[in-house]
Amino acid sequence: MKIEFIKDKLQKAVNQAERSVGKNLSLPILSNIILETENKKLIVKSTNLEIGVEIEVAAKIEGDLKVAVNPSLLNNLLQNLPNNEKIEINKEEDLFIINTNKGQVNLKTQTTEDFPIIPKVTSDKVINISIKNFIEGIKSVAYAAALSDIKPEIASVYLYSEDQKLFFVSTDGFRLSEKFIILDNFSPKELINLIIPLKNALEINRILSDQPTDGELVIMTDNNQISIMSDGLHITSRIIDGVYPDYRQVMPKDLKTRIELNKNDFINTLKLAGVFSDKFNRLTIDVNKEIVTLSTKNNETGESILKITPRAYSGEGLSLTISSRYLLDALQSIDDEYIILGFNESNKPLYLKGFDDVTFQGLVMPLRT
């Protein structure tokens, strides 16, 4: 048995697979990655039972291989080899042998019998989407998901398709974000409605970030899992068995007060005001026809009263206290020069979106004063 390949290709696959290895005392094999030949291809596999990854590595293969190795050790070794070096691997008894231009390295291996089969979804619910758009969809909303698993439905990212759009939604009860991506060649049978645990969604994004951004994804779903496939990459994740809250009920249909602001100017002013925020990042926004005033106060360090002139204004004046950090998180998801802030009452959520970019909208709930 002999397998030859370029070092960089294996190193990239090991990096991607290492992110989803598990720590399970009753199933220690999960802390390893599997290198296995299948149909004349070298496959690197890993799973933590929540998410599973399989990555193909281009290689010249003679014979069969299936070996479990420590990913950190293998990664450290590969990082210290020259780029584009051709290396050869094989297995003798319990040793994984790596031959390089500088010599031979032997890694201890583990038995592979206990490594679980990584499931693959077969379904007619298929969506095609670019890697760049999928990453952007997750990234635009993930910050708003709950971090506690007490309510798993909201410690997640909600995905559903409607009217040739794929929506991404997250909320932790204190803020809410929605992003949609236009789908090409959409058909009704491709409708999906699923909830991905936040941890898995973030891991999927990290793994996809190593793929070419101009690549395409094929997404297949069933009642229990989602499979995400790209060139030589297969990711399978558990999905939540539950119903996502009807978040559209809290989206305001009308706005009593609407202002337009330069986004970067607003962000810079928020950061300046944040210097004197308290531990809750409390920020008071006072709105009138001419000026938006941002006020913060910290009893130990000082206070700030900063003013911004809106580009446009309509409605009545009011005052609202919110978390400046929640507002800054949401603003990072708007790719637009100008933003719209919408207000109704002091005890109603702040609404925000881009002026031209209609693909994102968010809410931030007010704080008690």
Side-chain angles (χ1 to χ4, degrees):
M1 190 276 294
K2 185 171 69 175
I3 301 176
E4 294 180 351
F5 49 83
I6 302 300
K7 163 256 182 183
D8 307 61
K9 297 184 184 300
L10 180 62
Q11 185 179 354
K12 176 184 174 183
V14 172
N15 275 329
Q16 290 177 303
E18 188 176 10
R19 295 189 177 106
S20 59
V21 298
K23 293 181 180 178
N24 189 316
L25 295 178
S26 60
L27 199 56
I29 186 63
L30 296 182
S31 63
N32 294 269
I33 60 171
I34 302 294
L35 275 68
E36 183 175 9
T37 52
E38 292 180 2
N39 301 319
K40 295 295 181 182
K41 297 177 181 176
L42 177 64
I43 313 293
V44 179
K45 303 179 179 180
S46 67
T47 182
N48 56 19
L49 302 182
E50 283 279 319
I51 186 170
V53 180
E54 296 189 7
I55 308 135
E56 290 182 16
V57 179
K60 182 180 177 181
I61 300 172
E62 295 178 10
D64 297 321
L65 172 74
K66 186 173 184 181
V67 62
V69 296
N70 181 303
S72 297
L73 284 176
L74 181 56
N75 217 350
N76 285 339
L77 171 64
L78 294 172
Q79 285 175 358
N80 289 292
L81 292 176
N83 291 336
N84 296 315
E85 179 167 346
K86 183 184 290 185
I87 60 177
E88 178 188 309
I89 59 174
N90 52 54
K91 181 175 183 293
E92 292 182 5
E93 297 181 345
D94 66 341
L95 295 179
F96 180 61
I97 301 171
I98 303 173
N99 289 300
T100 76
N101 290 335
K102 292 187 176 181
Q104 178 177 305
V105 177
N106 301 333
L107 293 181
K108 288 281 188 179
T109 65
Q110 305 294 322
T111 58
T112 60
E113 285 77 10
D114 293 333
F115 192 80
I117 295 173
I118 298 175
K120 294 182 178 178
V121 174
T122 55
S123 166
D124 60 357
K125 292 183 177 181
V126 181
I127 283 182
N128 295 280
I129 184 172
S130 77
I131 291 176
K132 178 182 177 183
N133 284 343
F134 187 86
I135 290 175
E136 182 182 358
I138 296 290
K139 183 180 177 183
S140 296
V141 304
Y143 69 87
L147 299 179
S148 168
D149 291 330
I150 295 175
K151 294 181 179 178
E153 288 86 356
I154 63 171
S156 305
V157 177
Y158 175 44
L159 271 71
Y160 70 96
S161 54
E162 182 179 283
D163 298 333
Q164 292 191 305
K165 299 172 184 171
L166 181 61
F167 287 84
F168 300 77
V169 181
S170 285
T171 183
D172 59 4
F174 303 101
R175 49 188 169 167
L176 185 152
S177 58
E178 178 203 81
K179 172 80 176 179
F180 72 79
I181 303 294
I182 301 292
L183 295 171
D184 297 325
N185 304 316
F186 179 82
S187 73
K189 77 174 185 178
E190 297 165 346
L191 288 171
I192 67 169
N193 189 314
L194 59 91
I195 307 170
I196 306 176
L198 175 64
K199 292 178 182 176
N200 295 14
L202 294 176
E203 285 304 321
I204 290 169
N205 253 19
R206 291 189 186 103
I207 294 168
L208 292 178
S209 65
D210 286 336
Q211 295 295 104
T213 55
D214 59 350
E216 292 284 327
L217 294 178
V218 177
I219 297 176
M220 303 180 74
T221 68
D222 61 19
N223 293 332
N224 302 308
Q225 294 162 115
I226 177 172
S227 276
I228 299 171
M229 293 155 280
S230 180
D231 184 25
L233 173 67
H234 191 125
I235 307 170
T236 300
S237 166
R238 176 180 71 88
I239 59 177
I240 300 292
D241 180 16
V243 178
Y244 202 77
D246 184 6
Y247 74 94
R248 289 188 170 182
Q249 285 189 342
V250 300
M251 283 293 184
K253 296 178 175 59
D254 299 298
L255 299 173
K256 287 186 177 179
T257 302
R258 179 185 183 278
I259 60 174
E260 296 173 17
L261 294 168
N262 179 282
K263 187 186 80 168
N264 288 334
D265 184 29
F266 187 47
I267 287 175
N268 291 334
T269 309
L270 281 173
K271 290 179 177 177
L272 182 59
V275 172
F276 297 105
S277 288
D278 60 15
K279 64 179 181 181
F280 300 108
N281 301 296
R282 200 182 304 268
L283 168 82
T284 298
I285 304 177
D286 290 294
V287 181
N288 65 37
K289 291 184 179 180
E290 303 294 336
I291 296 294
V292 177
T293 303
L294 307 180
S295 304
T296 55
K297 183 177 182 179
N298 186 309
N299 291 332
E300 296 180 356
T301 58
E303 60 184 314
S304 68
I305 301 174
L306 306 171
K307 298 182 185 301
I308 305 175
T309 302
R311 183 177 72 161
Y313 176 98
S314 63
E316 58 192 56
L318 56 77
S319 180
L320 182 76
T321 298
I322 61 171
S323 162
S324 60
R325 184 171 69 83
Y326 285 3
L327 184 52
L328 281 168
D329 287 345
L331 289 168
Q332 302 305 317
S333 298
I334 299 176
D335 184 18
D336 215 336
E337 182 177 5
Y338 288 93
I339 60 163
I340 295 171
L341 296 185
F343 307 83
N344 281 311
E345 306 286 348
S346 293
N347 61 348
K348 300 290 185 183
L350 167 68
Y351 173 83
L352 73 160
K353 66 183 288 292
F355 182 76
D356 291 314
D357 177 16
V358 299
T359 64
F360 176 88
Q361 57 181 346
L363 296 178
V364 180
M365 293 297 292
L367 299 175
R368 293 181 180 177
T369 56

